[in-house]
Amino acid sequence: MTVPRCATPAALQRLRPPAPGPPAAVVARTDVPASTWTGLHLDGVLVPLWRDVSRLVTVDEGPAVRAQAFAALVPGRGVVGQLAAAWVHTGGPPPHRVTVLVRSGARRPDPHPDRLTAEADLAEDDVQSWGGVAVTTVLRTALDVARWVPADRALPALRALVPAGLRPDEALGRLATHTGGRGVRTARRTLAQV
């Protein structure tokens, strides 16, 4: 004889903890006690990623994981841009601070020592999502880096973006739509050297 299974009342279902999801790819220092943080690094479970954010050693470091390193500093209205976006796309040495772009007229995030903010005119096709974090596309990142970052720092970042899909001729063509804009002449000279 089989005993019929009783349905769990809806009131009790709400009290059950949610089913565990996949483990987080990144862990912030504030997520665990200091002794645990140190121990996880010494045991080789965590690998430093950016500032006080590390990734699990079992997780490949790709754009989605690197973008998640900035998640706590990027509000919903913000987009990772400039050298920080270049790092998300290509890896290499991480930036000192994350640059967060907000659309012109939007409220800027509060000041933070690890974050720079700037207003930008962003079209929908200038932004993509990596790991749930909005990041400028490779093309838009290249344009911003060429316009706003000194050439000695911009050139290595731009050259690293080429394997990630940057076509310098396309970037130069897109610059033609910004004639008279600030930093456009500098950007042309910089992109011509890539």
Side-chain angles (χ1 to χ4, degrees), residues 163-177:
L166 173 64
R167 291 185 12 237
D169 57 331
E170 180 184 10
L172 285 165
R174 180 98 177 258
L175 271 178
T177 64

Side-chain angles (χ1 to χ4, degrees), residues 40-104:
L40 289 171
H41 281 88
L42 291 173
D43 291 344
V45 175
L46 293 180
V47 178
L49 188 59
W50 182 76
R51 300 269 181 179
D52 286 342
V53 178
S54 293
R55 68 174 170 84
L56 295 175
V57 73
T58 57
V59 175
D60 290 333
E61 183 184 319
V65 171
R66 288 188 292 270
Q68 288 175 17
F70 299 139
L73 294 169
V74 183
R77 64 188 176 282
V79 177
V80 176
Q82 298 181 14
L83 289 176
W87 178 71
V88 168
H89 292 297
T90 64
H96 297 292
R97 295 195 279 185
V98 58
T99 301
V100 176
L101 306 175
V102 293
R103 286 182 166 77
S104 296

Side-chain angles (χ1 to χ4, degrees), residues 145-146 148-159 186 189-190 193:
V145 167
W148 306 114
V149 177
D152 62 324
R153 291 177 39 220
L155 278 170
L158 292 169
R159 288 179 179 137
T186 302
R189 284 192 304 269
T190 305
Q193 296 177 54

